[in-house]
Amino acid sequence: MSEAMHIVLDDTAMAAAGQGNILASRLIHRAHAEPDWFLYAPVCSLIEADRARPGTAEHIAAMPGITVLDLDLSAALAMAREATWGPAHAQYAAQPTPDRPDGAVVATTVPKQWEGRPVRVLDLTP
C-alpha cells in the first residue's frame, strides 16, 4: 500500500499538458486511473495558463482527474503579498492542510521559478 500523492499543477504544467508534454500526460492519466493520486489546478494558475495558451482552461477543467481549486478568502489573503497570482495560488495550494498533512508537490516546467520557495517541486521538463 502506498501513500497518497498530491500534486498541484502550476501554470506552466497546465500549458505543457495542452501541448502534449508526456510527463504532464502521465500525471493526468495516473490521477484519473489510480485512487491515491490527486491533481489540483489552482484557479489563478489556470487563468495564467490560459493567458499563455488560450483554450488551456477549458481543456484542464474538463479532465475528470483534476480538481480545480477556487480562490477562497484565506487563499486571497495569503496571496495578497505576492507579485503574481498564478504561482502564489499554486504555492498556497501546496501548503499542508488537514487533508494533506505533508502538503503537495508543485509540478512545473520551469523549476527555477520555485527556487527559494517553501514547496517541493516536480520537474516536468522532458
Side-chain angles (χ1 to χ4, degrees):
M1 185 161 160
S2 65
E3 290 186 33
M5 189 68 175
H6 297 276
I7 301 171
V8 174
L9 300 172
D10 77 355
D11 57 311
T12 68
M14 290 184 225
Q19 294 174 321
N21 178 295
I22 190 70
L23 299 173
S25 295
R26 286 180 184 165
L27 284 179
I28 293 165
H29 173 73
R30 288 191 86 164
H32 179 69
E34 297 186 30
D36 288 338
W37 278 69
F38 303 94
L39 287 184
Y40 305 97
V43 72
C44 292
S45 298
L46 190 62
I47 292 166
E48 293 294 329
D50 199 72
R51 286 180 178 164
R53 186 172 187 280
T56 300
E58 291 86 0
H59 179 73
I60 295 293
M63 294 184 180
I66 299 176
T67 301
V68 176
L69 300 176
D70 293 330
L71 180 61
D72 60 15
L73 179 59
S74 59
L77 293 174
M79 293 169 43
R81 301 181 277 282
E82 301 294 329
T84 59
W85 286 16
H89 199 187
Q91 179 176 325
Y92 175 82
Q95 300 308 304
T97 67
D99 293 338
R100 298 183 308 272
D102 293 328
V105 176
V106 174
T108 184
T109 62
V110 186
K112 285 191 177 269
Q113 82 174 2
W114 293 98
E115 289 178 0
R117 293 181 182 244
V119 296
R120 295 173 289 156
V121 173
L122 176 62
D123 185 356
L124 298 183
T125 306

